[in-house]
Amino acid sequence: MNTPTLPGFATAPTRFLFFTGKGGVGKTSLSTATAIALADAGQRVLLVSTDAASNLDEMLGVPLSNRPVSVPGVPGLQMLNIDPDTAAEAYRQRVLAQLEAGASDDERQTVREQLSGACTTEIAAFDEFAALLAGEGIDGGYDHVVFDTAPTGHTLRLLSLPKAWTGFLAGNDRGASCLGPHSGLKMQEARFNAALRALSDPALTTVVLVTRPDPRPMMEAARTAEELSQLGLANQRLAVNGVFHAISASDPIANAIEALGRQALQEMPDALARLPRDEVPLRAFDTVGLPALRALLQGGEVTAPVPASATPALPAEPLSRMVDELAAVGHGLIMVMGKGGVGKTTIAAALAVGLVQRGHSVHLTTTDPAAHVADALNGSLEGLKVGRIDPKAETAAYIAKIMATRGKDLDQQGQALLLEDLQSPCTEEVAVFHAFSRVVNEARSAFVVLDTAPTGHSLLLMDATGAYHRQMVQQYEGKTEGKGLHIITPLMRLQDGSMTRVIIVTLPEVTPVSQAAALQDDLRRAKIEPWAWVINKSIAATGTTDPLLQARLAGEIRQTERIAGGLAKRTFVLPWLPESPVGVAALGALVEAPKLLPAAQWAGR
């Protein structure tokens, strides 16, 4: 394991390696490349994805499975994906098996209903994760288990659960919770304790904080470092991915990008500056396939097919035109969705500012636990209300509401038992869904721009919305006929194209485009039709001549050809800007200045 060309996180690894960070910083690429490097050096390695929107299958060409599968071409490497739906069904069966043989059909049906919500999905996925840390579910023969995690907010939630559940179970010895019979929880207590011990042991676990040489992901990585330290995960390393060095001294775009990256490294937060650090250069190729993944950490050339055209044959429009069309509607919900790190927050904030510029009042909010909309605005604007669905605040408010209603007629002991049940970590999922429902309802008479969490987390929220819809339809089926009543659930409002416009944001790279297409398929299965796509950080729209950026342009053209082939009904584009558009003025410029999109760069305009 002393290969000198490998970064530090791959040369002296602990048994468990967690790669975490803001969406889009390269966690999957670095974790997968590390797993391959360790296996190439003769180690037995298990690569695990905890992201509901994982793209490991595309990167390695191996179908995802909730059981370890071998990776062709890499002896010693196996991979698995913790699939929430599969994990939830297995968890339901385990809990139902704990029921006594004499349980009635009604009792069993009650348990099934209790196990149908989003909190069951979360705890079931966590249960699989905890089993790996506890040494269960694997044969124990792996030298290393490498975790490719979901974006930061979701991962912090996951890594906090061992402590939360062990604390909840330690003082709980009664009969039911939101997950069904208490035995369904209690039987996992030893596993959760073992997971907590493994996470807290620096000899066993290392957290690799992945970032880009950019102030925003660095600030998030610094906050993550501090929160993980508070959870007892103190063995941390920093990996700065995509460090760019301009090749062409005469290219202002390339020089500006390099200068900003250098400044970000010089001014990184103290919480990161004191960590051991590795830097991985920006590569000219997409990190898909074994040759590219091996070259990511060790260097080397990767050949790629030459695009059929020199410029993307894609009818692309500026954001200003999008805002004009949205403003003409007068109200509604605008949901900005996509993979982490593609620029959802910037796009959502720019749309909100643009609508205010056109005379509308707007509520800009977010479901992302990382909550960066306020940072993006960096100021205030009359007519713009900024909020967030804060899981902790929503949970506290939800508990207070339940205690004031359902608990008001209980005696002291009953109230204590109810409060104890509400301290369950899965209460947060219920509270967040209720807050999301209020936001959806608000859009009936005003503009609400919703900056969503990264794809996997948003899909779990969509699952909760669908589960609530099915529950309401079943509950009121046949009871409203002839009474002039009809049910309108949050899902029905999301399906209403006259009220909700879903905008999918992507980068012109293979993984973000594939995940955007998969997200679109998931939405369509829920009968939610995306309204438009936004291609962010387009190199083609900058006119750069730098050889490395030009090499990356070849990959961009392949992806825009995919999009032009029918993926998106409407497409809007933003160039790769030499400086992040932070602040009301900069965001306003994105929706006021079509000149940011050179017409010559895009065919079909």
Side-chain angles (χ1 to χ4, degrees), residues 462-474:
M462 293 295 101
D463 286 344
T465 306
Y468 177 80
H469 172 79
R470 291 188 294 272
Q471 180 184 346
M472 290 297 100
V473 170
Q474 182 179 15

Side-chain angles (χ1 to χ4, degrees), residues 10 24-26 48 114 149 153 202 270 340 401 406 415 479 488 510 526 553 566 578 586-587:
V25 295
V48 180
Q114 289 177 324
T149 70
D270 291 341
K401 178 181 178 181
R406 199 180 303 170
Q415 288 182 343
K479 297 180 180 179
I488 300 179
V510 58
L553 175 58
L587 292 167

Side-chain angles (χ1 to χ4, degrees), residues 91 95 110-123 157 165 168 172 174-182 185 398 406 420-430:
Y91 185 82
V95 174
T110 298
V111 172
R112 288 190 185 95
E113 291 175 359
Q114 289 177 324
L115 292 170
S116 65
C119 61
T120 300
T121 302
E122 180 192 63
I123 190 57
R157 167 80 172 157
W165 278 111
F168 176 71
N172 190 326
R174 54 194 193 76
S177 81
C178 67
L179 296 181
H182 184 227
L185 287 172
Y398 178 79
R406 199 180 303 170
E420 182 180 295
D421 197 38
L422 289 170
Q423 300 303 322
S424 156
C426 68
T427 299
E428 181 179 301
E429 298 295 329
V430 179

Side-chain angles (χ1 to χ4, degrees), residues 28 38 69 95 99 112 135 149 155 241 244-245 254 273 276 282 291 293 295 329 354 439 503 506-507 522 543 562 581:
T28 300
L38 294 174
V69 295
V95 174
L99 288 176
R112 288 190 185 95
T149 70
T155 297
N241 189 31
F244 174 69
H245 299 288
L282 180 69
L293 288 163
V329 179
V439 166
I503 297 165
T506 186
L507 301 179
D522 285 328
R562 285 177 66 190

